PDB file of all heavy atoms in Angstrom:
ATOM      1  N   HIS A   1       0.848  -1.197   0.000  1.00  0.00           N
ATOM      2  CA  HIS A   1       0.000   0.000   0.000  1.00  0.00           C
ATOM      3  C   HIS A   1       0.883   1.247   0.000  1.00  0.00           C
ATOM      4  O   HIS A   1       1.895   1.308   0.690  1.00  0.00           O
ATOM      5  CB  HIS A   1      -0.908   0.001   1.234  1.00  0.00           C
ATOM      6  CG  HIS A   1      -1.659   1.290   1.413  1.00  0.00           C
ATOM      7  ND1 HIS A   1      -2.324   1.899   0.378  1.00  0.00           N
ATOM      8  CD2 HIS A   1      -1.841   2.072   2.506  1.00  0.00           C
ATOM      9  CE1 HIS A   1      -2.899   2.999   0.834  1.00  0.00           C
ATOM     10  NE2 HIS A   1      -2.605   3.139   2.110  1.00  0.00           N
ATOM     11  N   LYS A   2       0.504   2.218  -0.775  1.00  0.00           N
ATOM     12  CA  LYS A   2       1.267   3.445  -0.996  1.00  0.00           C
ATOM     13  C   LYS A   2       1.586   4.189   0.310  1.00  0.00           C
ATOM     14  O   LYS A   2       0.702   4.540   1.068  1.00  0.00           O
ATOM     15  CB  LYS A   2       0.454   4.366  -1.900  1.00  0.00           C
ATOM     16  CG  LYS A   2       1.138   5.676  -2.251  1.00  0.00           C
ATOM     17  CD  LYS A   2       0.240   6.495  -3.161  1.00  0.00           C
ATOM     18  CE  LYS A   2       0.890   7.808  -3.560  1.00  0.00           C
ATOM     19  NZ  LYS A   2      -0.004   8.602  -4.420  1.00  0.00           N
ATOM     20  N   PRO A   3       2.876   4.466   0.577  1.00  0.00           N
ATOM     21  CA  PRO A   3       3.250   5.239   1.756  1.00  0.00           C
ATOM     22  C   PRO A   3       3.237   6.730   1.454  1.00  0.00           C
ATOM     23  O   PRO A   3       3.023   7.134   0.318  1.00  0.00           O
ATOM     24  CB  PRO A   3       4.684   4.776   2.011  1.00  0.00           C
ATOM     25  CG  PRO A   3       5.206   4.523   0.632  1.00  0.00           C
ATOM     26  CD  PRO A   3       4.027   3.998  -0.175  1.00  0.00           C
ATOM     27  N   ILE A   4       3.483   7.539   2.475  1.00  0.00           N
ATOM     28  CA  ILE A   4       3.480   8.988   2.293  1.00  0.00           C
ATOM     29  C   ILE A   4       4.822   9.470   1.742  1.00  0.00           C
ATOM     30  O   ILE A   4       4.877  10.356   0.907  1.00  0.00           O
ATOM     31  CB  ILE A   4       3.183   9.688   3.632  1.00  0.00           C
ATOM     32  CG1 ILE A   4       1.824   9.236   4.160  1.00  0.00           C
ATOM     33  CG2 ILE A   4       3.192  11.197   3.487  1.00  0.00           C
ATOM     34  CD1 ILE A   4       1.523   9.685   5.569  1.00  0.00           C
ATOM     35  N   ILE A   5       5.919   8.905   2.234  1.00  0.00           N
ATOM     36  CA  ILE A   5       7.260   9.370   1.874  1.00  0.00           C
ATOM     37  C   ILE A   5       7.899   8.359   0.919  1.00  0.00           C
ATOM     38  O   ILE A   5       8.006   7.175   1.242  1.00  0.00           O
ATOM     39  CB  ILE A   5       8.125   9.540   3.134  1.00  0.00           C
ATOM     40  CG1 ILE A   5       7.449  10.529   4.099  1.00  0.00           C
ATOM     41  CG2 ILE A   5       9.525  10.013   2.783  1.00  0.00           C
ATOM     42  CD1 ILE A   5       8.168  10.696   5.413  1.00  0.00           C
ATOM     43  N   PRO A   6       8.336   8.779  -0.273  1.00  0.00           N
ATOM     44  CA  PRO A   6       8.827   7.844  -1.295  1.00  0.00           C
ATOM     45  C   PRO A   6       9.928   6.896  -0.828  1.00  0.00           C
ATOM     46  O   PRO A   6       9.885   5.707  -1.148  1.00  0.00           O
ATOM     47  CB  PRO A   6       9.329   8.782  -2.403  1.00  0.00           C
ATOM     48  CG  PRO A   6       8.521  10.023  -2.229  1.00  0.00           C
ATOM     49  CD  PRO A   6       8.318  10.167  -0.750  1.00  0.00           C
ATOM     50  N   GLN A   7      10.922   7.395  -0.063  1.00  0.00           N
ATOM     51  CA  GLN A   7      12.030   6.528   0.321  1.00  0.00           C
ATOM     52  C   GLN A   7      11.594   5.405   1.261  1.00  0.00           C
ATOM     53  O   GLN A   7      12.207   4.343   1.301  1.00  0.00           O
ATOM     54  CB  GLN A   7      13.180   7.326   0.964  1.00  0.00           C
ATOM     55  CG  GLN A   7      12.857   7.972   2.298  1.00  0.00           C
ATOM     56  CD  GLN A   7      12.398   9.403   2.162  1.00  0.00           C
ATOM     57  OE1 GLN A   7      11.853   9.784   1.119  1.00  0.00           O
ATOM     58  NE2 GLN A   7      12.619  10.214   3.191  1.00  0.00           N
ATOM     59  N   VAL A   8      10.501   5.633   1.983  1.00  0.00           N
ATOM     60  CA  VAL A   8       9.977   4.584   2.865  1.00  0.00           C
ATOM     61  C   VAL A   8       9.353   3.471   2.032  1.00  0.00           C
ATOM     62  O   VAL A   8       9.529   2.289   2.322  1.00  0.00           O
ATOM     63  CB  VAL A   8       8.947   5.164   3.856  1.00  0.00           C
ATOM     64  CG1 VAL A   8       8.331   4.061   4.704  1.00  0.00           C
ATOM     65  CG2 VAL A   8       9.604   6.213   4.745  1.00  0.00           C
ATOM     66  N   GLY A   9       8.635   3.845   0.981  1.00  0.00           N
ATOM     67  CA  GLY A   9       8.066   2.854   0.077  1.00  0.00           C
ATOM     68  C   GLY A   9       9.150   2.037  -0.606  1.00  0.00           C
ATOM     69  O   GLY A   9       9.041   0.807  -0.724  1.00  0.00           O
ATOM     70  N   LYS A  10      10.212   2.697  -1.036  1.00  0.00           N
ATOM     71  CA  LYS A  10      11.315   2.002  -1.691  1.00  0.00           C
ATOM     72  C   LYS A  10      11.984   1.023  -0.729  1.00  0.00           C
ATOM     73  O   LYS A  10      12.261  -0.126  -1.089  1.00  0.00           O
ATOM     74  CB  LYS A  10      12.347   3.023  -2.194  1.00  0.00           C
ATOM     75  CG  LYS A  10      13.541   2.394  -2.901  1.00  0.00           C
ATOM     76  CD  LYS A  10      14.521   3.453  -3.384  1.00  0.00           C
ATOM     77  CE  LYS A  10      15.729   2.799  -4.050  1.00  0.00           C
ATOM     78  NZ  LYS A  10      16.727   3.810  -4.481  1.00  0.00           N
ATOM     79  N   ALA A  11      12.231   1.467   0.502  1.00  0.00           N
ATOM     80  CA  ALA A  11      12.867   0.595   1.497  1.00  0.00           C
ATOM     81  C   ALA A  11      11.978  -0.597   1.815  1.00  0.00           C
ATOM     82  O   ALA A  11      12.456  -1.729   1.976  1.00  0.00           O
ATOM     83  CB  ALA A  11      13.176   1.383   2.772  1.00  0.00           C
ATOM     84  N   THR A  12      10.659  -0.364   1.908  1.00  0.00           N
ATOM     85  CA  THR A  12       9.709  -1.441   2.186  1.00  0.00           C
ATOM     86  C   THR A  12       9.720  -2.474   1.070  1.00  0.00           C
ATOM     87  O   THR A  12       9.760  -3.694   1.327  1.00  0.00           O
ATOM     88  CB  THR A  12       8.287  -0.882   2.364  1.00  0.00           C
ATOM     89  OG1 THR A  12       8.289   0.066   3.442  1.00  0.00           O
ATOM     90  CG2 THR A  12       7.297  -1.982   2.664  1.00  0.00           C
ATOM     91  N   LEU A  13       9.703  -2.008  -0.162  1.00  0.00           N
ATOM     92  CA  LEU A  13       9.743  -2.906  -1.317  1.00  0.00           C
ATOM     93  C   LEU A  13      11.021  -3.749  -1.310  1.00  0.00           C
ATOM     94  O   LEU A  13      10.971  -4.974  -1.445  1.00  0.00           O
ATOM     95  CB  LEU A  13       9.650  -2.096  -2.606  1.00  0.00           C
ATOM     96  CG  LEU A  13       9.877  -2.869  -3.912  1.00  0.00           C
ATOM     97  CD1 LEU A  13       8.803  -3.922  -4.110  1.00  0.00           C
ATOM     98  CD2 LEU A  13       9.911  -1.909  -5.104  1.00  0.00           C
ATOM     99  N   GLU A  14      12.164  -3.080  -1.155  1.00  0.00           N
ATOM    100  CA  GLU A  14      13.442  -3.798  -1.178  1.00  0.00           C
ATOM    101  C   GLU A  14      13.539  -4.806  -0.034  1.00  0.00           C
ATOM    102  O   GLU A  14      14.023  -5.928  -0.215  1.00  0.00           O
ATOM    103  CB  GLU A  14      14.596  -2.796  -1.104  1.00  0.00           C
ATOM    104  CG  GLU A  14      14.730  -1.945  -2.364  1.00  0.00           C
ATOM    105  CD  GLU A  14      15.832  -0.902  -2.245  1.00  0.00           C
ATOM    106  OE1 GLU A  14      16.379  -0.726  -1.132  1.00  0.00           O
ATOM    107  OE2 GLU A  14      16.140  -0.262  -3.265  1.00  0.00           O
ATOM    108  N   LEU A  15      13.063  -4.421   1.139  1.00  0.00           N
ATOM    109  CA  LEU A  15      13.111  -5.305   2.301  1.00  0.00           C
ATOM    110  C   LEU A  15      12.254  -6.550   2.081  1.00  0.00           C
ATOM    111  O   LEU A  15      12.690  -7.681   2.331  1.00  0.00           O
ATOM    112  CB  LEU A  15      12.636  -4.551   3.542  1.00  0.00           C
ATOM    113  CG  LEU A  15      12.513  -5.346   4.835  1.00  0.00           C
ATOM    114  CD1 LEU A  15      13.858  -5.924   5.253  1.00  0.00           C
ATOM    115  CD2 LEU A  15      11.934  -4.472   5.945  1.00  0.00           C
ATOM    116  N   LEU A  16      11.029  -6.362   1.606  1.00  0.00           N
ATOM    117  CA  LEU A  16      10.143  -7.501   1.371  1.00  0.00           C
ATOM    118  C   LEU A  16      10.700  -8.424   0.292  1.00  0.00           C
ATOM    119  O   LEU A  16      10.593  -9.659   0.397  1.00  0.00           O
ATOM    120  CB  LEU A  16       8.749  -7.014   0.988  1.00  0.00           C
ATOM    121  CG  LEU A  16       7.941  -6.362   2.115  1.00  0.00           C
ATOM    122  CD1 LEU A  16       6.640  -5.779   1.560  1.00  0.00           C
ATOM    123  CD2 LEU A  16       7.651  -7.344   3.237  1.00  0.00           C
ATOM    124  N   GLU A  17      11.311  -7.863  -0.729  1.00  0.00           N
ATOM    125  CA  GLU A  17      11.904  -8.697  -1.784  1.00  0.00           C
ATOM    126  C   GLU A  17      13.095  -9.487  -1.249  1.00  0.00           C
ATOM    127  O   GLU A  17      13.305 -10.643  -1.644  1.00  0.00           O
ATOM    128  CB  GLU A  17      12.306  -7.828  -2.971  1.00  0.00           C
ATOM    129  CG  GLU A  17      11.100  -7.307  -3.745  1.00  0.00           C
ATOM    130  CD  GLU A  17      11.471  -6.481  -4.966  1.00  0.00           C
ATOM    131  OE1 GLU A  17      12.600  -5.932  -4.999  1.00  0.00           O
ATOM    132  OE2 GLU A  17      10.634  -6.369  -5.881  1.00  0.00           O
ATOM    133  N   LYS A  18      13.873  -8.883  -0.336  1.00  0.00           N
ATOM    134  CA  LYS A  18      14.963  -9.622   0.303  1.00  0.00           C
ATOM    135  C   LYS A  18      14.432 -10.816   1.085  1.00  0.00           C
ATOM    136  O   LYS A  18      15.110 -11.830   1.241  1.00  0.00           O
ATOM    137  CB  LYS A  18      15.742  -8.701   1.255  1.00  0.00           C
ATOM    138  CG  LYS A  18      16.622  -7.675   0.588  1.00  0.00           C
ATOM    139  CD  LYS A  18      17.274  -6.790   1.643  1.00  0.00           C
ATOM    140  CE  LYS A  18      18.054  -5.654   1.019  1.00  0.00           C
ATOM    141  NZ  LYS A  18      18.623  -4.740   2.059  1.00  0.00           N
ATOM    142  N   LEU A  19      13.218 -10.675   1.602  1.00  0.00           N
ATOM    143  CA  LEU A  19      12.599 -11.738   2.396  1.00  0.00           C
ATOM    144  C   LEU A  19      11.780 -12.686   1.517  1.00  0.00           C
ATOM    145  O   LEU A  19      10.962 -13.460   2.012  1.00  0.00           O
ATOM    146  CB  LEU A  19      11.714 -11.113   3.485  1.00  0.00           C
ATOM    147  CG  LEU A  19      12.464 -10.257   4.519  1.00  0.00           C
ATOM    148  CD1 LEU A  19      11.486  -9.551   5.441  1.00  0.00           C
ATOM    149  CD2 LEU A  19      13.445 -11.109   5.322  1.00  0.00           C
ATOM    150  N   ASN A  20      12.031 -12.608   0.197  1.00  0.00           N
ATOM    151  CA  ASN A  20      11.430 -13.523  -0.788  1.00  0.00           C
ATOM    152  C   ASN A  20       9.902 -13.391  -0.896  1.00  0.00           C
ATOM    153  O   ASN A  20       9.201 -14.364  -1.158  1.00  0.00           O
ATOM    154  CB  ASN A  20      11.803 -14.974  -0.467  1.00  0.00           C
ATOM    155  CG  ASN A  20      13.307 -15.211  -0.531  1.00  0.00           C
ATOM    156  OD1 ASN A  20      13.959 -14.783  -1.483  1.00  0.00           O
ATOM    157  ND2 ASN A  20      13.854 -15.863   0.476  1.00  0.00           N
ATOM    158  N   VAL A  21       9.418 -12.168  -0.700  1.00  0.00           N
ATOM    159  CA  VAL A  21       8.001 -11.902  -0.893  1.00  0.00           C
ATOM    160  C   VAL A  21       7.785 -11.397  -2.325  1.00  0.00           C
ATOM    161  O   VAL A  21       8.522 -10.539  -2.805  1.00  0.00           O
ATOM    162  CB  VAL A  21       7.495 -10.839   0.112  1.00  0.00           C
ATOM    163  CG1 VAL A  21       6.032 -10.507  -0.157  1.00  0.00           C
ATOM    164  CG2 VAL A  21       7.678 -11.343   1.540  1.00  0.00           C
ATOM    165  N   ASP A  22       6.786 -11.949  -2.984  1.00  0.00           N
ATOM    166  CA  ASP A  22       6.440 -11.507  -4.333  1.00  0.00           C
ATOM    167  C   ASP A  22       5.557 -10.275  -4.206  1.00  0.00           C
ATOM    168  O   ASP A  22       4.376 -10.371  -3.861  1.00  0.00           O
ATOM    169  CB  ASP A  22       5.701 -12.632  -5.066  1.00  0.00           C
ATOM    170  CG  ASP A  22       5.389 -12.287  -6.513  1.00  0.00           C
ATOM    171  OD1 ASP A  22       5.955 -11.297  -7.029  1.00  0.00           O
ATOM    172  OD2 ASP A  22       4.573 -12.993  -7.124  1.00  0.00           O
ATOM    173  N   VAL A  23       6.126  -9.102  -4.476  1.00  0.00           N
ATOM    174  CA  VAL A  23       5.442  -7.839  -4.220  1.00  0.00           C
ATOM    175  C   VAL A  23       4.887  -7.234  -5.511  1.00  0.00           C
ATOM    176  O   VAL A  23       5.577  -7.173  -6.528  1.00  0.00           O
ATOM    177  CB  VAL A  23       6.397  -6.816  -3.559  1.00  0.00           C
ATOM    178  CG1 VAL A  23       5.656  -5.514  -3.261  1.00  0.00           C
ATOM    179  CG2 VAL A  23       6.998  -7.388  -2.283  1.00  0.00           C
ATOM    180  N   MET A  24       3.657  -6.764  -5.419  1.00  0.00           N
ATOM    181  CA  MET A  24       3.050  -6.017  -6.519  1.00  0.00           C
ATOM    182  C   MET A  24       2.551  -4.682  -5.975  1.00  0.00           C
ATOM    183  O   MET A  24       2.217  -4.573  -4.787  1.00  0.00           O
ATOM    184  CB  MET A  24       1.906  -6.795  -7.156  1.00  0.00           C
ATOM    185  CG  MET A  24       2.341  -8.071  -7.846  1.00  0.00           C
ATOM    186  SD  MET A  24       0.979  -8.897  -8.700  1.00  0.00           S
ATOM    187  CE  MET A  24       0.637  -7.698 -10.006  1.00  0.00           C
ATOM    188  N   TYR A  25       2.506  -3.691  -6.843  1.00  0.00           N
ATOM    189  CA  TYR A  25       2.099  -2.338  -6.440  1.00  0.00           C
ATOM    190  C   TYR A  25       0.971  -1.861  -7.352  1.00  0.00           C
ATOM    191  O   TYR A  25       1.222  -1.406  -8.472  1.00  0.00           O
ATOM    192  CB  TYR A  25       3.300  -1.396  -6.534  1.00  0.00           C
ATOM    193  CG  TYR A  25       3.031   0.001  -6.038  1.00  0.00           C
ATOM    194  CD1 TYR A  25       3.312   0.358  -4.726  1.00  0.00           C
ATOM    195  CD2 TYR A  25       2.497   0.969  -6.888  1.00  0.00           C
ATOM    196  CE1 TYR A  25       3.061   1.643  -4.272  1.00  0.00           C
ATOM    197  CE2 TYR A  25       2.242   2.254  -6.435  1.00  0.00           C
ATOM    198  CZ  TYR A  25       2.531   2.581  -5.133  1.00  0.00           C
ATOM    199  OH  TYR A  25       2.274   3.850  -4.683  1.00  0.00           O
ATOM    200  N   PRO A  26      -0.279  -1.960  -6.930  1.00  0.00           N
ATOM    201  CA  PRO A  26      -1.400  -1.523  -7.776  1.00  0.00           C
ATOM    202  C   PRO A  26      -1.354  -0.016  -8.049  1.00  0.00           C
ATOM    203  O   PRO A  26      -1.359   0.792  -7.124  1.00  0.00           O
ATOM    204  CB  PRO A  26      -2.633  -1.872  -6.935  1.00  0.00           C
ATOM    205  CG  PRO A  26      -2.165  -2.900  -5.959  1.00  0.00           C
ATOM    206  CD  PRO A  26      -0.747  -2.544  -5.660  1.00  0.00           C
ATOM    207  N   LEU A  27      -1.318   0.349  -9.294  1.00  0.00           N
ATOM    208  CA  LEU A  27      -1.178   1.755  -9.649  1.00  0.00           C
ATOM    209  C   LEU A  27      -2.472   2.543  -9.472  1.00  0.00           C
ATOM    210  O   LEU A  27      -2.461   3.776  -9.458  1.00  0.00           O
ATOM    211  CB  LEU A  27      -0.693   1.871 -11.102  1.00  0.00           C
ATOM    212  CG  LEU A  27       0.712   1.330 -11.370  1.00  0.00           C
ATOM    213  CD1 LEU A  27       1.053   1.458 -12.852  1.00  0.00           C
ATOM    214  CD2 LEU A  27       1.750   2.055 -10.526  1.00  0.00           C
ATOM    215  N   GLY A  28      -3.590   1.859  -9.315  1.00  0.00           N
ATOM    216  CA  GLY A  28      -4.854   2.555  -9.170  1.00  0.00           C
ATOM    217  C   GLY A  28      -5.189   2.965  -7.746  1.00  0.00           C
ATOM    218  O   GLY A  28      -6.218   3.595  -7.502  1.00  0.00           O
ATOM    219  N   GLN A  29      -4.315   2.629  -6.809  1.00  0.00           N
ATOM    220  CA  GLN A  29      -4.595   2.925  -5.406  1.00  0.00           C
ATOM    221  C   GLN A  29      -4.467   4.417  -5.108  1.00  0.00           C
ATOM    222  O   GLN A  29      -3.722   5.143  -5.749  1.00  0.00           O
ATOM    223  CB  GLN A  29      -3.632   2.154  -4.504  1.00  0.00           C
ATOM    224  CG  GLN A  29      -2.170   2.535  -4.660  1.00  0.00           C
ATOM    225  CD  GLN A  29      -1.281   1.803  -3.659  1.00  0.00           C
ATOM    226  OE1 GLN A  29      -1.405   1.999  -2.473  1.00  0.00           O
ATOM    227  NE2 GLN A  29      -0.394   0.966  -4.178  1.00  0.00           N
ATOM    228  N   THR A  30      -5.261   4.844  -4.112  1.00  0.00           N
ATOM    229  CA  THR A  30      -5.157   6.212  -3.605  1.00  0.00           C
ATOM    230  C   THR A  30      -5.102   6.118  -2.080  1.00  0.00           C
ATOM    231  O   THR A  30      -4.743   5.089  -1.530  1.00  0.00           O
ATOM    232  CB  THR A  30      -6.368   7.056  -4.042  1.00  0.00           C
ATOM    233  OG1 THR A  30      -7.577   6.435  -3.569  1.00  0.00           O
ATOM    234  CG2 THR A  30      -6.439   7.176  -5.559  1.00  0.00           C
ATOM    235  N   CYS A  31      -5.476   7.175  -1.397  1.00  0.00           N
ATOM    236  CA  CYS A  31      -5.511   7.188   0.063  1.00  0.00           C
ATOM    237  C   CYS A  31      -6.532   6.179   0.590  1.00  0.00           C
ATOM    238  O   CYS A  31      -7.563   5.927  -0.054  1.00  0.00           O
ATOM    239  CB  CYS A  31      -5.855   8.590   0.540  1.00  0.00           C
ATOM    240  SG  CYS A  31      -6.073   8.751   2.320  1.00  0.00           S
ATOM    241  N   CYS A  32      -6.292   5.627   1.773  1.00  0.00           N
ATOM    242  CA  CYS A  32      -7.233   4.670   2.379  1.00  0.00           C
ATOM    243  C   CYS A  32      -8.474   5.357   2.938  1.00  0.00           C
ATOM    244  O   CYS A  32      -9.449   4.696   3.301  1.00  0.00           O
ATOM    245  CB  CYS A  32      -6.539   3.882   3.490  1.00  0.00           C
ATOM    246  SG  CYS A  32      -6.093   4.865   4.951  1.00  0.00           S
ATOM    247  N   GLY A  33      -8.452   6.690   3.041  1.00  0.00           N
ATOM    248  CA  GLY A  33      -9.605   7.432   3.543  1.00  0.00           C
ATOM    249  C   GLY A  33      -9.473   7.932   4.964  1.00  0.00           C
ATOM    250  O   GLY A  33     -10.359   8.632   5.472  1.00  0.00           O
ATOM    251  N   GLN A  34      -8.374   7.608   5.613  1.00  0.00           N
ATOM    252  CA  GLN A  34      -8.205   7.972   7.017  1.00  0.00           C
ATOM    253  C   GLN A  34      -8.270   9.479   7.291  1.00  0.00           C
ATOM    254  O   GLN A  34      -8.927   9.891   8.273  1.00  0.00           O
ATOM    255  CB  GLN A  34      -6.883   7.412   7.554  1.00  0.00           C
ATOM    256  CG  GLN A  34      -6.652   7.724   9.012  1.00  0.00           C
ATOM    257  CD  GLN A  34      -5.265   7.373   9.502  1.00  0.00           C
ATOM    258  OE1 GLN A  34      -4.913   7.672  10.621  1.00  0.00           O
ATOM    259  NE2 GLN A  34      -4.456   6.733   8.669  1.00  0.00           N
ATOM    260  N   PRO A  35      -7.619  10.349   6.508  1.00  0.00           N
ATOM    261  CA  PRO A  35      -7.651  11.785   6.822  1.00  0.00           C
ATOM    262  C   PRO A  35      -9.064  12.361   6.897  1.00  0.00           C
ATOM    263  O   PRO A  35      -9.365  13.169   7.784  1.00  0.00           O
ATOM    264  CB  PRO A  35      -6.849  12.416   5.673  1.00  0.00           C
ATOM    265  CG  PRO A  35      -5.919  11.330   5.234  1.00  0.00           C
ATOM    266  CD  PRO A  35      -6.718  10.075   5.363  1.00  0.00           C
ATOM    267  N   MET A  36      -9.937  11.953   5.995  1.00  0.00           N
ATOM    268  CA  MET A  36     -11.315  12.442   6.016  1.00  0.00           C
ATOM    269  C   MET A  36     -12.043  11.951   7.264  1.00  0.00           C
ATOM    270  O   MET A  36     -12.764  12.703   7.929  1.00  0.00           O
ATOM    271  CB  MET A  36     -12.049  11.997   4.753  1.00  0.00           C
ATOM    272  CG  MET A  36     -11.649  12.766   3.512  1.00  0.00           C
ATOM    273  SD  MET A  36     -12.423  12.136   2.004  1.00  0.00           S
ATOM    274  CE  MET A  36     -11.379  10.745   1.622  1.00  0.00           C
ATOM    275  N   ALA A  37     -11.842  10.679   7.580  1.00  0.00           N
ATOM    276  CA  ALA A  37     -12.497  10.110   8.755  1.00  0.00           C
ATOM    277  C   ALA A  37     -12.029  10.796  10.032  1.00  0.00           C
ATOM    278  O   ALA A  37     -12.825  11.106  10.921  1.00  0.00           O
ATOM    279  CB  ALA A  37     -12.220   8.611   8.828  1.00  0.00           C
ATOM    280  N   ASN A  38     -10.730  11.043  10.133  1.00  0.00           N
ATOM    281  CA  ASN A  38     -10.169  11.691  11.322  1.00  0.00           C
ATOM    282  C   ASN A  38     -10.652  13.127  11.478  1.00  0.00           C
ATOM    283  O   ASN A  38     -10.630  13.687  12.578  1.00  0.00           O
ATOM    284  CB  ASN A  38      -8.638  11.682  11.269  1.00  0.00           C
ATOM    285  CG  ASN A  38      -8.066  10.304  11.583  1.00  0.00           C
ATOM    286  OD1 ASN A  38      -8.796   9.394  11.931  1.00  0.00           O
ATOM    287  ND2 ASN A  38      -6.764  10.170  11.447  1.00  0.00           N
ATOM    288  N   SER A  39     -11.087  13.723  10.373  1.00  0.00           N
ATOM    289  CA  SER A  39     -11.539  15.110  10.406  1.00  0.00           C
ATOM    290  C   SER A  39     -13.041  15.230  10.627  1.00  0.00           C
ATOM    291  O   SER A  39     -13.592  16.328  10.606  1.00  0.00           O
ATOM    292  CB  SER A  39     -11.157  15.816   9.095  1.00  0.00           C
ATOM    293  OG  SER A  39      -9.761  15.780   8.899  1.00  0.00           O
ATOM    294  N   GLY A  40     -13.709  14.081  10.832  1.00  0.00           N
ATOM    295  CA  GLY A  40     -15.140  14.113  11.082  1.00  0.00           C
ATOM    296  C   GLY A  40     -15.999  13.945   9.852  1.00  0.00           C
ATOM    297  O   GLY A  40     -17.211  14.154   9.896  1.00  0.00           O
ATOM    298  N   TYR A  41     -15.379  13.568   8.714  1.00  0.00           N
ATOM    299  CA  TYR A  41     -16.116  13.392   7.470  1.00  0.00           C
ATOM    300  C   TYR A  41     -16.013  11.945   6.989  1.00  0.00           C
ATOM    301  O   TYR A  41     -15.742  11.681   5.821  1.00  0.00           O
ATOM    302  CB  TYR A  41     -15.574  14.346   6.394  1.00  0.00           C
ATOM    303  CG  TYR A  41     -15.713  15.797   6.773  1.00  0.00           C
ATOM    304  CD1 TYR A  41     -14.657  16.475   7.378  1.00  0.00           C
ATOM    305  CD2 TYR A  41     -16.902  16.485   6.544  1.00  0.00           C
ATOM    306  CE1 TYR A  41     -14.782  17.813   7.744  1.00  0.00           C
ATOM    307  CE2 TYR A  41     -17.038  17.814   6.901  1.00  0.00           C
ATOM    308  CZ  TYR A  41     -15.976  18.474   7.504  1.00  0.00           C
ATOM    309  OH  TYR A  41     -16.105  19.789   7.863  1.00  0.00           O
ATOM    310  N   GLU A  42     -16.247  11.017   7.913  1.00  0.00           N
ATOM    311  CA  GLU A  42     -16.033   9.604   7.621  1.00  0.00           C
ATOM    312  C   GLU A  42     -16.799   9.134   6.389  1.00  0.00           C
ATOM    313  O   GLU A  42     -16.257   8.431   5.535  1.00  0.00           O
ATOM    314  CB  GLU A  42     -16.428   8.765   8.836  1.00  0.00           C
ATOM    315  CG  GLU A  42     -16.073   7.296   8.701  1.00  0.00           C
ATOM    316  CD  GLU A  42     -16.273   6.548  10.005  1.00  0.00           C
ATOM    317  OE1 GLU A  42     -17.394   6.609  10.557  1.00  0.00           O
ATOM    318  OE2 GLU A  42     -15.319   5.914  10.463  1.00  0.00           O
ATOM    319  N   TYR A  43     -18.052   9.541   6.280  1.00  0.00           N
ATOM    320  CA  TYR A  43     -18.854   9.046   5.164  1.00  0.00           C
ATOM    321  C   TYR A  43     -18.477   9.684   3.825  1.00  0.00           C
ATOM    322  O   TYR A  43     -18.880   9.198   2.769  1.00  0.00           O
ATOM    323  CB  TYR A  43     -20.343   9.221   5.469  1.00  0.00           C
ATOM    324  CG  TYR A  43     -20.808   8.193   6.473  1.00  0.00           C
ATOM    325  CD1 TYR A  43     -20.847   8.495   7.836  1.00  0.00           C
ATOM    326  CD2 TYR A  43     -21.139   6.899   6.070  1.00  0.00           C
ATOM    327  CE1 TYR A  43     -21.231   7.534   8.771  1.00  0.00           C
ATOM    328  CE2 TYR A  43     -21.519   5.936   6.995  1.00  0.00           C
ATOM    329  CZ  TYR A  43     -21.566   6.253   8.348  1.00  0.00           C
ATOM    330  OH  TYR A  43     -21.930   5.298   9.268  1.00  0.00           O
ATOM    331  N   GLU A  44     -17.682  10.742   3.877  1.00  0.00           N
ATOM    332  CA  GLU A  44     -17.146  11.318   2.639  1.00  0.00           C
ATOM    333  C   GLU A  44     -15.991  10.469   2.095  1.00  0.00           C
ATOM    334  O   GLU A  44     -15.530  10.695   0.972  1.00  0.00           O
ATOM    335  CB  GLU A  44     -16.657  12.747   2.886  1.00  0.00           C
ATOM    336  CG  GLU A  44     -17.731  13.718   3.348  1.00  0.00           C
ATOM    337  CD  GLU A  44     -18.822  13.909   2.316  1.00  0.00           C
ATOM    338  OE1 GLU A  44     -18.512  13.880   1.106  1.00  0.00           O
ATOM    339  OE2 GLU A  44     -19.985  14.073   2.711  1.00  0.00           O
ATOM    340  N   SER A  45     -15.518   9.519   2.898  1.00  0.00           N
ATOM    341  CA  SER A  45     -14.379   8.691   2.485  1.00  0.00           C
ATOM    342  C   SER A  45     -14.807   7.378   1.848  1.00  0.00           C
ATOM    343  O   SER A  45     -13.960   6.547   1.510  1.00  0.00           O
ATOM    344  CB  SER A  45     -13.489   8.392   3.698  1.00  0.00           C
ATOM    345  OG  SER A  45     -14.137   7.493   4.600  1.00  0.00           O
TER     346      SER A  45
END
């Protein structure tokens, strides 16, 4: 799942691949909706 900071995503990918995990990155993903929910607009998410 897409992280906020690019280098964290890169490190996560490389780490999981070192651990022999077959990783895929869906390009259609966006935010999980948490910011809206935390701001009181849960159903807008």
Side-chain angles (χ1 to χ4, degrees):
H1 171 47
K2 182 179 181 181
I4 301 171
I5 302 176
Q7 66 266 27
V8 176
K10 180 180 178 182
T12 301
L13 172 64
E14 291 177 351
L15 175 61
L16 289 173
E17 289 182 337
K18 287 177 186 177
L19 297 173
N20 298 314
V21 177
D22 184 13
V23 182
M24 295 185 67
Y25 185 94
L27 295 178
Q29 64 176 296
T30 58
C31 175
C32 68
Q34 181 189 174
M36 285 175 279
N38 285 355
S39 301
Y41 299 95
E42 188 171 55
Y43 285 95
E44 299 297 325
S45 70

